[in-house]
Amino acid sequence: MMLKIAAPRSLAAVPLLLLAEANTAAYEIHFFSDHADAVRGLHDGSFDLLCTGFTELDRSQLLCTYVWGLSALMVRDASLKTMADLSRYCESHSDAELVLPFSGSPLDLQVRALFRQLQPPLSISLRNQQLPETLQQFLAGNIFAAVLPEPLAATLELAGKATRLADLAELHARLSGDARSPQVGLFVRKEKKLPAGFLSEFAQSICIAGAMSQQQRSTVAASLGITEAVFQHAQKHVQFELPDQSVAEKL
């Protein structure tokens, strides 16, 4: 039985790509650009599994959480090195704004929740738009700051168009003491029966994701449409781990 897996074209897809590469007859990866369409595809049976940063989806079951620390706060001004620098900049520049992915997206919700807890609070306007548009505007020098997942953050960094002020996992660790957040998980329709060995196979792919061969890195980078240099840089900022369910739920 071929399982169709929907995933964003981000580093969250790496273990899934390795899974499909190891067993092409059993798994097929479908990259999506519209999250709402992907969720509908999961519900109507177009996809069997969905990779997403949400922790709950209607009519679906969270199978596992396997990616931690996928996104970063990027700024155009290289003189800003810390959150304190950013805060001081915002105090003197009322037009400064931070661009987030689409409204109601996992990153949108996570960042807004994170910023509510930061001390001292950061006074900056927040705006939502689609990731491809944010990337293009950042490359053109028209965005001051944005939160982006990998490999978009690494793409901007290596192009000299942005500075990584902080990984979101780093900011989260300041509040909770644990850097394993934000997170990405894998959802399955509640009525869908998966092969008995799926989680075992996927766990192996998660382990491999942290120690890939040169050929695997090259293949995965090509699948994601990025250079190996961008992939290797982005990989440093992503944690692939499959903790026990109770630990994952707590995180």
Side-chain angles (χ1 to χ4, degrees):
M1 177 181 65
M2 170 76 77
L3 287 180
K4 296 182 179 180
I5 307 174
R9 201 177 288 272
S10 79
L11 262 71
V14 170
L16 298 168
L17 290 167
L18 293 171
L19 181 73
E21 182 186 10
N23 194 340
T24 57
Y27 306 110
E28 186 174 80
I29 308 302
H30 295 260
F31 289 119
F32 65 80
S33 56
D34 188 304
H35 191 276
D37 282 347
V39 172
R40 284 191 289 270
L42 179 68
H43 291 163
D44 68 21
S46 299
F47 305 123
D48 301 301
L49 295 159
L50 171 65
C51 167
T52 176
F54 284 114
T55 53
E56 292 184 4
L57 283 179
D58 290 341
R59 296 155 49 197
S60 304
Q61 173 187 347
L62 178 59
L63 191 62
C64 64
T65 308
Y66 67 96
V67 181
W68 310 86
L70 181 70
S71 303
L73 171 54
M74 309 297 293
V75 295
R76 189 176 71 239
D77 189 340
S79 69
L80 304 179
K81 305 293 185 182
T82 67
M83 290 297 289
D85 291 340
L86 180 60
S87 184
R88 285 191 291 270
Y89 184 95
C90 292
E91 287 174 1
S92 58
H93 295 78
S94 59
D95 59 340
E97 64 176 9
L98 176 68
V99 181
L100 303 176
F102 69 89
S103 180
S105 65
L107 266 182
D108 176 48
L109 299 176
Q110 290 162 358
V111 172
R112 290 176 186 274
L114 180 66
F115 277 21
R116 283 196 295 271
Q117 300 175 69
L118 287 178
Q119 295 296 329
L122 178 64
S123 179
I124 186 171
S125 297
L126 304 178
R127 176 167 65 86
N128 299 95
Q129 70 179 23
Q130 296 295 329
L131 287 173
E133 185 179 357
T134 298
L135 177 64
Q136 292 306 313
Q137 290 184 358
F138 222 137
L139 287 170
N142 297 326
I143 286 182
F144 163 67
V147 170
L148 296 166
E150 298 294 358
L152 299 184
T155 298
L156 289 172
E157 202 166 17
L158 291 188
K161 298 296 184 179
T163 297
R164 186 183 301 263
L165 190 71
D167 287 331
L168 289 195
E170 174 190 342
L171 298 180
H172 183 81
R174 296 180 191 178
L175 299 175
S176 69
D178 197 309
R180 287 178 293 183
S181 190
Q183 68 287 315
V184 176
L186 199 60
F187 280 82
V188 61
R189 293 194 318 280
K190 287 184 177 179
E191 68 274 16
K192 179 67 179 180
K193 300 298 182 183
L194 296 175
F198 173 77
L199 271 180
S200 177
E201 285 187 57
F202 190 43
Q204 292 178 4
S205 295
I206 294 167
C207 290
I208 294 171
M212 284 182 279
S213 68
Q214 176 61 46
Q215 179 57 49
Q216 287 170 324
R217 286 196 299 270
S218 177
T219 300
V220 168
S223 296
L224 294 176
I226 57 177
T227 66
E228 288 186 53
V230 168
F231 177 71
Q232 288 181 299
H233 189 72
Q235 193 178 15
K236 301 172 187 175
H237 301 276
V238 181
Q239 305 169 59
F240 298 108
E241 182 186 354
L242 189 60
D244 291 340
Q245 185 176 356
S246 60
V247 174
E249 289 176 354
K250 180 180 178 181
L251 292 169

